[in-house]
């Protein structure tokens, strides 16, 4: 097997040329040696073959002397250096691992029965639109800036983070979260009350120009509602229709042996919260009458919060210590992995949703992410 010299540009390679190897296989071997792709290779050798070597040529019929030079024409592939240097997990610090998402997300230290707050903030932490709005907090918005700082600390840590600044600001702004028991420790609080406090404050501190809501919070979580009141005792009484904005849907939970209404599924509780009856004045009858209330969703948010109403106020007239206590409703309520709110939407929004669903069934894109099918991103379906 003669050893020949392969010359490619300014580079020269020693190569043991096996004459029994077919030319296509030879080209593959030369590619691994020189980096010149097979389709670019042109092989020339003075006195061995005429012109360039063809794939059909038989090298075993050629007398190849030792040290003969073979000219390889063709440009080798360039191996580009990676734009971002590869960093292995074992070479990272704990903070770098946290920022890269290579370890489990950091939690928050309990600062005196603050589990209600920790769980709520952990959910809000993973809403990218909210994170962006918090980073753009205006000067003087101490509450939103403290929350943004807490989220940044969690992103950069692999260990539990004590949210001291935010907790202190929360208890100062809302003294009910600073209430203490008879033994001096901070009392347990409700996550839904914390969500209300955060939403009201951030809606005031995060203005957003160019949106109907006027603030970033309602642009992300706001639900447009349409409420219709009809008098059940006088058909000639005109219905009263009002528009409003909510920041969560409420699932009313009822049940028990003595209850006429049994809520076993999320949809049943939502329907209970969106419909009902009330006594109010009828101008036609000139007296109080029974009215039915029917609330429907006129615009869906990008992120939906559902409140499972598990607490109710129970009066205690026989107690000398208090007038009532907050009791928890211990009842299982099932819910689907995907919540379909179509039946709770207005007729106008349902029509828009039907169009969007039809396009999705046909595999046609163009949705804006809010589920109303109009392409404007505000969830109201009016385009």
């Amino acid at each position: 097997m003669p050893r020949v010299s392969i010359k490619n540009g300014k580079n020269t390679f020693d190569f043991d040329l096996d004459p029994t190897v077919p030319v296509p296989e030879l080209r593959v071997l030369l590619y691994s040696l020189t980096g010149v792709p097979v389709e670019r290779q042109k092989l020339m050798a003075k006195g061995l073959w005429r012109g360039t070597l063809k794939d059909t040529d038989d090298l075993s019929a050629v007398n190849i002397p030792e040290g003969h030079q073979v000219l390889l024409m063709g440009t080798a592939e360039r191996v580009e250096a990676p734009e971002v240097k590869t960093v292995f997990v074992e070479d990272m610090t704990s903070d770098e691992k946290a920022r890269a998402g290579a370890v489990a997300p950091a939690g928050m230290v309990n600062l005196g029965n603050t589990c209600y707050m920790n769980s709520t903030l952990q959910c809000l932490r993973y809403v990218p639109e909210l994170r962006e709005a918090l980073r753009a907090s205006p000067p003087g918005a101490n509450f939103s800036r403290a929350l943004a700082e807490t989220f940044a600390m969690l992103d950069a840590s692999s260990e539990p983070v004590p949210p001291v600044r935010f907790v202190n600001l929360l208890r100062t702004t809302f003294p009910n979260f600073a209430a203490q028991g008879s033994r001096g420790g901070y009392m347990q609080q409700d996550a839904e009350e914390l969500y209300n406090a955060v939403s009201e404050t951030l809606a005031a501190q995060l203005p957003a120009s160019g949106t109907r809501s006027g603030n970033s919070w309602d642009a992300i979580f706001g639900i447009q509602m349409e409420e219709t009141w009809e008098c059940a005792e006088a058909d000639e009484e005109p219905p009263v229709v009002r528009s409003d904005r909510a920041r969560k849907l409420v699932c009313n939970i009822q049940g028990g042996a003595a209850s006429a209404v049994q809520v076993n599924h999320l949809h049943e509780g939502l329907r209970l919260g969106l419909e009902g009856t009330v006594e109010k004045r009828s101008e036609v009858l000139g007296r109080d009458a029974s009215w039915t209330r029917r609330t429907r969703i006129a615009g869906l948010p990008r992120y939906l919060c559902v409140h499972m109403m598990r607490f109710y106020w129970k009066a205690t007239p026989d107690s000398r210590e208090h007038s009532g206590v907050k009791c928890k409703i211990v009842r299982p309520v099932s819910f689907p992995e995907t919540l379909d709110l179509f039946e709770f939407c207005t007729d106008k929004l349902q029509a828009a949703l039907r169009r969007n669903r039809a396009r999705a069934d046909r595999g046609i894109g163009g949705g804006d992410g809010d589920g109303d099918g109009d392409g404007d991103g505000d969830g109201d379906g009016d385009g």
Side-chain angles (χ1 to χ4, degrees):
M1 183 185 301
R3 169 163 288 212
V4 297
S5 176
I6 306 295
K7 182 173 177 58
N8 176 241
K10 297 181 180 181
N11 300 319
T12 302
F13 306 89
D14 291 333
F15 179 70
D16 292 327
L17 180 56
D18 185 356
T20 63
V21 173
V23 174
E25 294 185 20
L26 172 64
R27 294 185 189 277
V28 175
L29 294 172
L30 290 176
Y31 169 65
S32 63
L33 177 67
T34 64
V36 178
V38 171
E39 62 274 10
R40 298 181 190 172
Q41 293 180 12
K42 292 183 179 180
L43 291 167
M44 303 177 68
K46 188 176 180 180
L48 297 185
W49 55 79
R50 181 177 297 180
T52 59
L53 185 65
K54 301 178 178 60
D55 289 346
T56 56
D57 290 342
D58 183 8
L59 292 178
S60 62
V62 180
N63 183 21
I64 304 175
E66 186 79 17
H68 197 85
Q69 186 180 80
V70 178
L71 179 62
L72 172 60
M73 300 177 64
T75 305
E77 289 183 336
R78 294 180 60 187
V79 179
E80 300 288 345
E83 295 182 3
V84 180
K85 183 181 178 182
T86 301
V87 179
F88 296 96
V89 174
E90 54 267 25
D91 298 327
M92 294 180 176
T93 64
S94 58
D95 290 348
E96 289 173 339
K97 292 178 182 178
R99 282 190 290 267
V103 294
M108 284 181 275
V109 176
N110 194 317
L111 300 178
N113 277 332
T114 56
C115 52
Y116 66 94
M117 182 201 74
N118 295 354
S119 57
T120 304
L121 296 189
Q122 286 283 22
C123 291
L124 296 176
R125 176 187 171 191
Y126 292 97
V127 179
E129 294 89 343
L130 177 61
R131 297 292 301 273
E132 182 179 353
L134 289 173
R135 285 191 288 268
S137 299
N142 295 333
F143 196 89
S144 60
R145 286 178 174 267
L147 184 56
E149 177 185 289
T150 301
F151 287 159
M153 291 168 58
L154 289 168
D155 291 342
S157 177
S158 59
E159 300 295 330
V161 171
V164 177
R165 183 189 173 195
F166 183 82
V167 169
N168 290 339
L169 192 58
L170 174 70
R171 288 170 174 166
T172 302
T173 308
F174 301 95
N176 57 302
F177 293 110
Q180 297 185 5
S182 58
R183 298 184 179 181
Y186 288 105
M187 298 178 63
Q188 294 184 2
Q189 301 291 342
D190 185 34
E192 188 263 343
E193 293 179 359
L194 184 278
Y195 174 82
N196 291 340
V198 171
S199 62
E200 291 173 7
T201 306
L202 294 186
Q205 293 190 357
L206 298 177
S209 58
T211 62
R212 299 187 182 189
S213 59
N215 66 83
S216 296
W217 183 272
D218 286 334
I220 300 170
F221 299 100
I223 314 168
Q224 298 176 33
M225 310 295 290
E226 184 178 283
E227 192 174 67
T228 303
W229 294 82
E230 295 181 337
C231 183
E233 300 180 30
D235 294 338
E236 58 271 24
E237 183 84 49
V240 179
V241 179
R242 293 182 294 198
S243 297
D244 199 3
R245 183 181 295 275
R247 291 168 179 153
K248 63 179 183 294
L249 292 182
V250 178
C251 174
N252 287 324
I253 301 176
Q254 294 186 17
S259 177
V261 179
Q262 304 285 331
V263 174
N264 299 307
H265 192 274
L266 177 60
H267 276 79
E268 298 171 343
L270 291 176
R271 187 180 299 109
L272 196 62
L274 293 173
E275 300 173 357
T277 59
V278 69
E279 291 285 329
K280 59 176 295 190
R281 182 171 179 78
S282 166
E283 296 299 332
V284 172
L285 299 176
R287 60 175 175 82
D288 287 347
S290 176
W291 291 69
T292 60
R293 175 183 59 85
R294 184 176 184 270
T295 306
R296 287 297 179 261
I297 300 170
L300 289 163
R302 288 184 176 271
Y303 300 88
L304 178 69
C305 177
V306 177
H307 173 210
M308 308 289 282
M309 187 170 287
R310 290 195 172 275
F311 290 91
Y312 70 99
W313 183 257
K314 181 179 180 180
T316 54
D318 298 332
S319 174
R320 296 181 179 180
E321 298 180 356
H322 44 68
S323 59
V325 293
K326 184 183 290 187
C327 298
K328 185 173 183 178
I329 304 172
V330 183
R331 180 177 180 81
V333 176
S334 63
F335 57 89
E337 292 186 3
T338 301
L339 179 60
D340 189 350
L341 296 174
F342 184 84
E343 65 173 292
F344 302 125
C345 296
T346 61
D347 293 341
K348 181 179 179 181
L349 183 53
Q350 284 185 352
L353 289 171
R354 286 192 188 96
R355 293 194 300 269
N356 202 35
R357 291 181 177 190
R359 286 202 299 267
D361 291 340
R362 295 195 302 269
I364 302 174
D368 51 28
D370 58 23
D372 63 12
D374 61 16
D376 61 7
D378 61 10
D380 60 10
D382 61 8

